[in-house]
Amino acid sequence: MNAKKPLVIVTRKLPDVIETRMMELFETRLNLEDTPMSQAELSAAVAEADVLVPTVTDRIDSKILSQAGDNLKLIASFGTGIDHIDFAAAKKRNITVTNTPGVLTEDTADMTMALILAVPRRLSEGERLVRAEKWDGWGPTLMLGHRIWGKRLGIVGMGRIGQAVAHRARGFGLSIHYHNRQRVHPETESELEATYWESLDQMLAHMDIISINCPHTPATFHLLSERRLKLVKPHAYIVNTSRGEVIDEKALTRMLASGEIAGAGLDVFEHEPAVNPKLLNLENVVLLPHMGSATLEGRLDMGEKVIVNIKTFADGHTPPDRVLETMF
Ligand code: 8YV
């Protein structure tokens, strides 16, 4: 990148302080209206920018990247997941990709825990009852849910967020089980008193609550396929704060409706923002609009990471959050 300030195109509205700092440091083009860019607008942006700052709502596929100008050298994504970017196509064009790992771990783990509590204890149902003015007083059998304490939690993906969920879940008396590509460090395992399951199939068949905390990659697309969902116990709950694509949403919806799975807490959807209409009619699900990391503090931290990544890169160094092929 040359000595003049890089042209940074930001696809969505970011917190004011982040936008201001970006304006100070770079030649920055903001999206104040916050209207998601069309594929044509994205193509125009990559053709012009030195640095693109996309979010999860921008699909940076090989078609878009084929329109990239020679000066596009960095995609500094505002977010941790990078499944919206065709990493191989970017690499082929010698474009560095960065993300914002670490800073949304605690917030996403909190939201996961909130769903782990909300689904078995029927929080949304209870709230709907009150708001509909249909609650006519306490009753011994009213809104009975299921106890959290003493149940088995199966975490699919024991990275930063999975481990942060495990720490919280222990405080609620859940026993920790996990499946991960690699077994975690023995010290972490013993600290969490976590049981490792090499076989995801076997773990799913033995859990009371299942939490999805792995990234969406080609290897994890429909990891919870219809076949695997059939292994889940009928009294079990599934919580997903990762990516909708990790679960076969159609199969899950069918099984939630038929009672083959007791309930689900979903913060993410396979075709978001579209949500399977059949899910909307189910009482045993809690549905959230991808807000796992939506805290002001988190968004500021993410923005700061984006700035550091761009600045470091522009200064000729390897940005701290460079995405590597080995991460997939
Ligand atoms: C972010 C997320 O809000 O960072 C991620 O991977 O899923 C979200 O929590 C979003 O990606 C911002 O681009």
Side-chain angles (χ1 to χ4, degrees), residues 43 46-47 60-69 89 93 95:
S43 293
V46 294
I60 315 293
D61 56 18
S62 58
K63 200 166 158 219
I64 297 284
L65 288 171
S66 71
Q67 305 299 310
R93 298 185 74 93
I95 299 168

CSV table of all heavy atoms in Angstrom, one decimal, residues 43 46-47 60-69 89 93 95:
chain,number,residue,atom,x,y,z
A,43,SER,N,-19.5,-4.8,-5.6
A,43,SER,CA,-18.6,-4.9,-6.7
A,43,SER,C,-17.9,-3.6,-7.0
A,43,SER,O,-16.7,-3.5,-7.2
A,43,SER,CB,-19.3,-5.4,-8.0
A,43,SER,OG,-19.8,-6.7,-7.9
A,46,VAL,N,-15.3,-2.9,-4.2
A,46,VAL,CA,-14.0,-3.6,-4.2
A,46,VAL,C,-13.2,-3.1,-5.4
A,46,VAL,O,-12.0,-3.2,-5.4
A,46,VAL,CB,-14.2,-5.2,-4.3
A,46,VAL,CG1,-14.8,-5.7,-3.0
A,46,VAL,CG2,-15.0,-5.6,-5.5
A,47,ALA,N,-13.9,-2.6,-6.4
A,47,ALA,CA,-13.2,-2.1,-7.6
A,47,ALA,C,-12.4,-0.8,-7.3
A,47,ALA,O,-11.3,-0.6,-7.9
A,47,ALA,CB,-14.1,-1.8,-8.7
A,60,ILE,N,-19.1,-11.7,0.3
A,60,ILE,CA,-18.0,-11.3,-0.5
A,60,ILE,C,-17.5,-12.6,-1.2
A,60,ILE,O,-16.6,-13.3,-0.8
A,60,ILE,CB,-16.8,-10.7,0.3
A,60,ILE,CG1,-17.3,-9.7,1.3
A,60,ILE,CG2,-15.7,-10.2,-0.6
A,60,ILE,CD1,-17.9,-8.4,0.7
A,61,ASP,N,-18.2,-13.0,-2.3
A,61,ASP,CA,-17.9,-14.3,-3.0
A,61,ASP,C,-16.9,-14.1,-4.1
A,61,ASP,O,-16.4,-13.0,-4.4
A,61,ASP,CB,-19.3,-14.9,-3.5
A,61,ASP,CG,-20.0,-14.0,-4.4
A,61,ASP,OD1,-19.4,-13.0,-4.9
A,61,ASP,OD2,-21.3,-14.2,-4.6
A,62,SER,N,-16.7,-15.2,-4.8
A,62,SER,CA,-15.6,-15.1,-5.9
A,62,SER,C,-16.1,-14.2,-7.0
A,62,SER,O,-15.2,-13.5,-7.6
A,62,SER,CB,-15.3,-16.5,-6.4
A,62,SER,OG,-16.5,-17.1,-6.9
A,63,LYS,N,-17.4,-14.1,-7.2
A,63,LYS,CA,-17.9,-13.2,-8.3
A,63,LYS,C,-17.5,-11.7,-7.9
A,63,LYS,O,-17.1,-10.9,-8.8
A,63,LYS,CB,-19.4,-13.4,-8.4
A,63,LYS,CG,-19.9,-12.9,-9.7
A,63,LYS,CD,-21.3,-13.4,-10.0
A,63,LYS,CE,-22.0,-12.5,-11.0
A,63,LYS,NZ,-23.3,-12.2,-10.7
A,64,ILE,N,-17.8,-11.4,-6.7
A,64,ILE,CA,-17.5,-10.0,-6.2
A,64,ILE,C,-16.0,-9.8,-6.3
A,64,ILE,O,-15.5,-8.7,-6.8
A,64,ILE,CB,-18.0,-9.8,-4.7
A,64,ILE,CG1,-19.5,-9.9,-4.6
A,64,ILE,CG2,-17.5,-8.4,-4.2
A,64,ILE,CD1,-20.3,-8.7,-5.1
A,65,LEU,N,-15.2,-10.7,-5.8
A,65,LEU,CA,-13.8,-10.6,-5.8
A,65,LEU,C,-13.2,-10.5,-7.2
A,65,LEU,O,-12.1,-9.9,-7.4
A,65,LEU,CB,-13.1,-11.7,-4.9
A,65,LEU,CG,-13.4,-11.5,-3.4
A,65,LEU,CD1,-13.0,-12.7,-2.7
A,65,LEU,CD2,-12.7,-10.2,-2.9
A,66,SER,N,-13.9,-11.1,-8.2
A,66,SER,CA,-13.3,-11.0,-9.5
A,66,SER,C,-13.4,-9.5,-10.0
A,66,SER,O,-12.7,-9.2,-11.0
A,66,SER,CB,-14.1,-11.9,-10.5
A,66,SER,OG,-15.4,-11.4,-10.7
A,67,GLN,N,-14.2,-8.7,-9.4
A,67,GLN,CA,-14.3,-7.3,-9.8
A,67,GLN,C,-13.3,-6.4,-9.0
A,67,GLN,O,-13.2,-5.2,-9.2
A,67,GLN,CB,-15.7,-6.8,-9.4
A,67,GLN,CG,-16.8,-7.5,-10.0
A,67,GLN,CD,-16.8,-7.6,-11.5
A,67,GLN,OE1,-16.7,-6.5,-12.1
A,67,GLN,NE2,-16.8,-8.8,-12.1
A,68,ALA,N,-12.5,-7.0,-8.1
A,68,ALA,CA,-11.6,-6.2,-7.2
A,68,ALA,C,-10.5,-5.5,-8.0
A,68,ALA,O,-10.0,-6.2,-9.0
A,68,ALA,CB,-11.0,-7.1,-6.2
A,69,GLY,N,-10.3,-4.3,-7.7
A,69,GLY,CA,-9.2,-3.6,-8.4
A,69,GLY,C,-7.8,-4.1,-7.8
A,69,GLY,O,-7.8,-4.7,-6.7
A,89,ALA,N,-10.7,-17.4,-2.7
A,89,ALA,CA,-10.7,-16.5,-3.8
A,89,ALA,C,-9.9,-15.2,-3.4
A,89,ALA,O,-9.1,-14.7,-4.2
A,89,ALA,CB,-12.1,-16.1,-4.2
A,93,ARG,N,-6.1,-13.8,-5.0
A,93,ARG,CA,-5.9,-12.5,-5.5
A,93,ARG,C,-4.9,-11.7,-4.6
A,93,ARG,O,-4.8,-10.5,-4.7
A,93,ARG,CB,-7.2,-11.7,-5.6
A,93,ARG,CG,-8.2,-12.3,-6.6
A,93,ARG,CD,-9.4,-11.4,-6.7
A,93,ARG,NE,-9.1,-10.2,-7.5
A,93,ARG,CZ,-9.2,-10.1,-8.8
A,93,ARG,NH1,-9.7,-11.1,-9.5
A,93,ARG,NH2,-9.0,-9.0,-9.5
A,95,ILE,N,-5.2,-11.0,-1.5
A,95,ILE,CA,-5.9,-10.1,-0.6
A,95,ILE,C,-5.8,-10.6,0.9
A,95,ILE,O,-6.2,-11.8,1.1
A,95,ILE,CB,-7.4,-9.8,-1.0
A,95,ILE,CG1,-7.4,-9.2,-2.4
A,95,ILE,CG2,-8.1,-9.0,0.0
A,95,ILE,CD1,-8.8,-9.2,-3.0
